[in-house]
Amino acid sequence: MKCLILAAGYATRLRPLTDNFPKPLLEVGGKPILDWLVDDIAATGKVDGFVVISNHRFARIFENWVAGRPDDIKVVDDGTSTNETRLGAVRDMLFAIDTLGIDDDLLVIAGDNLLDFSLSGFIDYSLAKGTSCVMRYFEESTEILRKGGVMSVDENGLILDMEEKPAEPKANWACPPFYFYTKEDAARIPEAIASGCGVDAPGSLVAWLSSKAPVHAMEMPGKRFDIGDLKSYEAVRSEFDKLDK
């Protein structure tokens, strides 16, 4: 299994911190955000390679970060230099797969989120199901639901319906940006794009795929910290400082 880390965004709402520095490498709790994620995933022993998908502006910074890590991590530069010319998460995934010739199951994660639980349970859940999988959590806020993927599931966690950024959410199960794709489903990304799948939000691929193949959703066992702007970044730093103590 390979882990693709989506890190090609420009984090415009975190400026000036991200004018010349990538959000996933901002420090929280004494180390970069990505260290928390990669350390946890590497400890499972079930991922045999990581790929950081970067834009051109920050690729060298990620390469310098990789040089200090013991893991097998490759950095792929998607060639974009501005927020306006970004490829979008789904095209970035395809770019990495094609560039490195990846033919494997994929754990795909957003590089700018933190969790207070291990992803090991999600990896085990996905391997046990034998299908592509996501996580889900119950969200009461309609405003928040409108900003991401929203799904309906059956009693076994099978996704019955999923919509990315719905104007009128039909359910309260929200999808955080952590995904598992079987290699067979990952190979369908070109088909998804050609069919009109949205490419900017990674959840758009799940919404498309769940209408074509079985996709299961595990209930998230803890809390996700979404770092979207300066206020939320400071809140997360404060939260992790408390956990550290």
Side-chain angles (χ1 to χ4, degrees), residues 78-198:
D78 74 0
T80 71
S81 296
T82 67
N83 189 56
E84 292 70 29
T85 60
R86 67 187 184 279
L87 297 183
V90 178
R91 284 202 179 101
D92 270 327
M93 290 170 57
L94 181 59
F95 180 80
I97 291 168
D98 288 346
T99 299
L100 299 176
I102 298 172
D103 181 25
D104 205 344
D105 295 338
L106 298 178
L107 177 67
V108 180
I109 67 172
D112 58 357
N113 281 236
L114 285 168
L115 304 168
D116 69 356
F117 60 92
S118 173
L119 281 168
S120 60
F122 176 59
I123 293 172
D124 290 342
Y125 174 91
S126 301
L127 294 175
K129 286 294 185 183
T131 68
S132 294
C133 294
V134 300
M135 284 192 287
R136 57 187 165 99
Y137 67 94
F138 191 86
E139 177 58 63
E140 292 184 353
S141 169
T142 299
E143 181 182 356
I144 293 175
L145 289 168
R146 286 172 175 161
K147 296 178 180 179
V150 179
M151 71 186 80
S152 299
V153 298
D154 70 8
E155 64 276 9
N156 296 313
L158 180 70
I159 296 179
L160 302 175
D161 177 75
M162 179 167 168
E163 187 176 1
E164 183 67 23
K165 298 182 179 180
E168 297 298 332
K170 301 173 185 176
N172 292 92
W173 288 117
C175 181
F178 298 88
Y179 318 92
F180 172 84
Y181 293 100
T182 65
K183 69 176 183 178
E184 293 80 11
D185 286 344
R188 301 186 70 175
I189 295 177
E191 177 190 352
I193 295 174
S195 299
C197 167

